[in-house]
Amino acid sequence: MKHLTLETLIAVWEEMFGRGLFWLMTGVAVVVTVAYVFVLLRDRHMSMRKFLLAQLSMPFGAIAAVLFVQGITSSGFRDIGGPVDVLVLLAVAAAGAIGLAILVYTAQSLLRKQD
Amino acid sequence: MSESPYLRAALPSRRDFLAAAAGGVALAGLGAPVRAQAVRTAAKIVIVGAGAGGTGIANRLAERLEGATITIVDGRKDHWYQPGFTLIAAGLKPAGYSVSSTGGWLPRSVNWVEEYAANIDPVAQTVTTAGGTKLDYDYLIVAAGLTLNWGGVQGFDLAQVGKDGIGAVYAGPDYAEATWRAMDAFTDTGGTALFSRPATEMKCAGAPLKYAFITDDYLRRKGTRDKSQVIYAAHNKALFSVPIVNEKLKLLFRDRGVDVRYDHVLKGIDPTARTATFTIPASQAIKDGAITDTPATEQTIAYDFINVIPPMTAPKVVQESGLSWADKWVGQGWIEVDQSTLRHLRYPNVFGIGDINGVPKGKTAASVKWHIPVVEDHLVAALQGKEGTEVFNGYTSCPMITRIGRAMLIEFDYQDNLVPSFPGVIAPLEELWISWLMKETALKPTYNAMLRGKA
């Protein structure tokens, strides 16, 4: 088993978060994604007003994601040691920003139909 | 103990990683690799030791073989995730972080004899347990690990750990936690911290260095570094066996102001006086054509905090089995296996996994991860009357923590080549946050997946 397969990756993720939490998080991610696609199809357009609020939430998602990763790994900004670390930091921030934006947009769409 | 994998095997290659990242869930359609068909056999296989190597191979064989009688012999109820000891001793994890139940990892189809092995007879092909049960085998896998010979450090007693500035990270999860208490108290006030390593082969040769770095980091964080001295006593003339890594570590120690003493082998400690005595072997030097002999001496160094690491040898049951090298590592008892196939050179139905192997490198969990598929391949091939093809190249990995939050992902092979898992992305000799993230988050899951035979 020297090579990475999806099975290996899932096994590692299951060990990392615990089987229950991992599949719960995967489930939540799938539900939010499906809900997002659902509201896009239902409304047949992107609401710029909702999108604006979603965009405004992005910095919070980015910061929260970075602080979360630093918190669980007992590390901080001073530990950035090279270019690859900056890329990882940006990737974490981007993931948090996009994730929260999708969540905020979807939540608005589901909770209030009117623009 | 160290680590740490980065487990080259555990971690994706760059191509795998990019593919996984790009393909994501789409890969699910491609699915897992095609499973090899189970091999039918009536062979009796005995595994001595249910640590990382024994448990991992038991799960692999249980999946690969049908009809085999697989017995694993180990009296210890707790499984220890040893790469976690450094994190426990750094105050980042509780003792329980490294403790799980041996039985919880073993497949149901494997018969676990909950006793220690007392005798191995490779001629009669039997293993006798401490309770007197005699187990016949067709194939034997020795995964007995190694013994920490605490008696090899005069004046030291495990009961002292956690008190009077005495630490012993290797001794177990509770001792690692007690070591943290001693180190935490020491770094509050500062003083002299003393680190060393034994002159025998040892597991995770990077761990003593890591702990020196971590202690230095805490002294700095607490503002007590200025009034402290950090001493690292190397057993020979190097800090690390891989030359390029040794040079890097020398630079880092210089940067951190660590006082390095070479050719110092810990002989004993005096807990009351807080001193440690080192043996300095005899040496010879030539200057201006004249040979100068310096006889062996002893040197005593005072400490306020010490991390004691004892000499390490093969367990007694292995040393008495006749499986050890006769002319290498004399007195240490590592078994005489081919360094590529891990198959015993005199008893071809015996294989070794993990620390017990008498090979030039690889007493780490990361190496175990690479030992397992090699032994699996050669053993299963033998059962089919074929020759295996897998080769162990000496892969060893050491996530060298250089402070809390940074590490170097050092991976190397028998030839002292650096063999980075992510060439061009994660530089092996750079102190990086990403390497720390891997050590902190991905290492244990990967290790656990290995135990289950999944990675």
Side-chain angles (χ1 to χ4, degrees):
Chain A
M1 302 287 284
K2 284 189 191 173
H3 300 290
L4 185 82
T5 62
L6 186 68
E7 190 193 15
T8 310
L9 210 54
I10 288 173
V12 170
W13 282 330
E14 282 184 351
E15 297 291 347
M16 193 180 289
F17 300 105
R19 181 170 291 186
L21 181 60
F22 169 65
W23 288 109
L24 182 72
M25 291 193 312
T26 307
V28 168
V30 168
V31 166
V32 172
T33 308
V34 167
Y36 178 60
V37 173
F38 165 74
V39 297
L40 286 184
L41 291 176
R42 184 196 64 185
D43 300 344
R44 304 231 165 236
H45 73 285
M46 286 242 352
S47 158
M48 282 307 120
R49 195 166 151 190
K50 288 173 194 151
F51 190 52
L52 176 67
L53 194 59
Q55 284 185 87
L56 289 173
S57 74
M58 289 176 96
F60 297 99
I63 292 167
V66 168
L67 294 182
F68 174 72
V69 169
Q70 289 180 343
I72 60 166
T73 60
S74 317
S75 55
F77 291 105
R78 70 189 276 270
D79 297 316
I80 300 297
V84 65
D85 289 345
V86 176
L87 294 178
V88 171
L89 192 77
L90 292 175
V92 170
I98 294 169
L100 189 63
I102 291 176
L103 182 66
V104 166
Y105 185 93
T106 308
Q108 290 180 88
S109 299
L110 291 176
L111 296 178
R112 18 169 238 184
K113 237 181 159 183
Q114 298 296 319
D115 263 4
Chain B
M1 167 161 21
S2 143
E3 317 321 127
S4 136
Y6 269 99
L7 303 185
R8 184 166 195 219
L11 289 171
S13 71
R14 184 169 44 165
R15 197 176 55 187
D16 289 335
F17 189 78
L18 292 175
V25 177
L27 269 178
L30 302 174
V34 180
R35 285 222 178 284
Q37 206 179 354
V39 173
R40 279 211 63 82
T41 175
K44 285 179 280 191
I45 300 168
V46 172
I47 304 166
V48 174
T55 301
I57 192 72
N59 277 294
R60 294 299 310 148
L61 293 178
E63 192 177 308
R64 287 290 304 278
L65 304 177
E66 204 178 300
T69 307
I70 304 172
T71 306
I72 192 162
V73 183
D74 199 326
R76 201 163 73 192
K77 308 284 185 286
D78 284 342
H79 181 96
W80 287 352
Y81 168 62
Q82 298 187 63
F85 289 2
T86 304
L87 297 176
I88 295 169
L92 300 175
K93 306 281 182 192
Y97 174 70
S98 279
V99 184
S100 57
S101 155
T102 299
W105 300 107
L106 295 172
R108 274 198 206 99
S109 59
V110 167
N111 173 32
W112 177 24
V113 178
E114 296 182 47
E115 294 173 45
Y116 291 102
N119 179 268
I120 299 171
D121 186 340
V123 178
Q125 299 186 189
T126 58
V127 171
T128 310
T129 67
T133 310
K134 193 174 255 191
L135 303 160
D136 297 323
Y137 68 80
D138 299 311
Y139 288 90
L140 172 69
I141 297 170
V142 185
L146 52 67
T147 299
L148 300 166
N149 294 310
W150 298 104
V153 181
Q154 294 171 10
F156 173 80
D157 189 325
L158 278 171
Q160 301 158 345
V161 178
K163 298 172 223 158
D164 301 325
I166 296 176
V169 178
Y170 276 88
D174 292 330
Y175 291 111
E177 198 173 77
T179 301
W180 160 242
R181 289 197 298 273
M183 193 265 262
D184 188 31
F186 161 73
T187 48
D188 282 344
T189 54
T192 301
L194 181 54
F195 303 92
S196 66
R197 61 150 287 172
T200 58
E201 291 289 307
M202 66 181 296
K203 51 184 165 187
C204 189
L209 298 151
K210 285 175 212 179
Y211 207 55
F213 278 118
I214 291 169
T215 305
D216 170 83
D217 188 31
Y218 272 106
L219 287 167
R220 288 169 196 276
R221 284 166 190 253
K222 294 181 180 183
T224 46
R225 183 65 179 89
D226 288 347
K227 46 184 173 176
S228 300
Q229 185 183 20
V230 178
I231 301 173
Y232 187 88
H235 73 298
N236 58 14
K237 297 190 190 309
L239 294 171
F240 206 83
S241 68
V242 180
I244 193 167
V245 178
N246 180 46
E247 291 306 317
K248 176 70 184 182
L249 287 167
K250 276 159 67 179
L251 293 174
L252 288 176
F253 267 5
R254 193 182 304 162
D255 174 66
R256 305 294 205 277
V258 175
D259 179 357
V260 180
R261 314 279 172 91
Y262 294 103
D263 289 320
H264 278 51
V265 179
L266 183 63
K267 183 183 172 194
I269 63 169
D270 182 340
T272 316
R274 293 201 178 197
T275 57
T277 304
F278 291 86
T279 306
I280 301 165
S283 61
Q284 225 176 29
I286 304 177
K287 197 178 178 189
D288 301 329
I291 297 173
T292 320
D293 280 303
T294 311
T297 55
E298 286 188 357
Q299 170 143 30
T300 299
I301 301 175
Y303 65 80
D304 297 296
F305 173 73
I306 186 171
N307 178 34
V308 176
I309 306 176
M312 303 184 192
T313 59
K316 189 163 156 274
V317 61
V318 176
Q319 295 211 38
E320 293 171 349
S321 68
L323 291 169
S324 305
W325 285 98
D327 54 350
K328 290 185 190 173
W329 298 289
V330 176
Q332 296 181 40
W334 316 116
I335 65 174
E336 187 180 349
V337 292
D338 179 278
Q339 68 172 33
S340 299
T341 64
L342 309 176
R343 194 170 196 163
H344 202 275
L345 289 170
R346 287 177 282 119
Y347 302 99
N349 61 339
V350 177
F351 293 87
I353 294 181
D355 297 345
I356 195 65
N357 281 334
V359 295
K361 289 208 162 53
K363 296 200 187 319
T364 67
S367 302
V368 167
K369 187 165 181 52
W370 276 36
H371 286 182
I372 289 171
V374 171
V375 170
E376 176 192 340
D377 177 59
H378 288 273
L379 199 157
V380 172
L383 290 170
Q384 297 170 296
K386 299 183 205 162
E387 283 293 325
T389 54
E390 291 281 326
V391 166
F392 176 64
N393 68 355
Y395 177 82
T396 306
S397 166
C398 177
M400 178 68 68
I401 297 170
T402 56
R403 76 174 197 211
I404 307 294
R406 274 195 194 170
M408 296 192 295
L409 195 50
I410 299 168
E411 300 161 281
F412 51 92
D413 64 12
Y414 281 138
Q415 277 76 43
D416 292 334
N417 295 309
L418 293 180
V419 286
S421 290
F422 307 93
V425 180
I426 301 181
L429 298 177
E430 291 292 327
E431 298 177 76
L432 295 172
W433 181 51
I434 188 173
S435 303
W436 168 261
L437 294 183
M438 289 183 174
K439 163 82 185 163
E440 256 266 328
T441 61
L443 201 121
K444 190 178 173 191
T446 307
Y447 175 93
N448 287 350
M450 171 185 84
L451 291 184
R452 292 190 203 281
K454 299 285 185 198

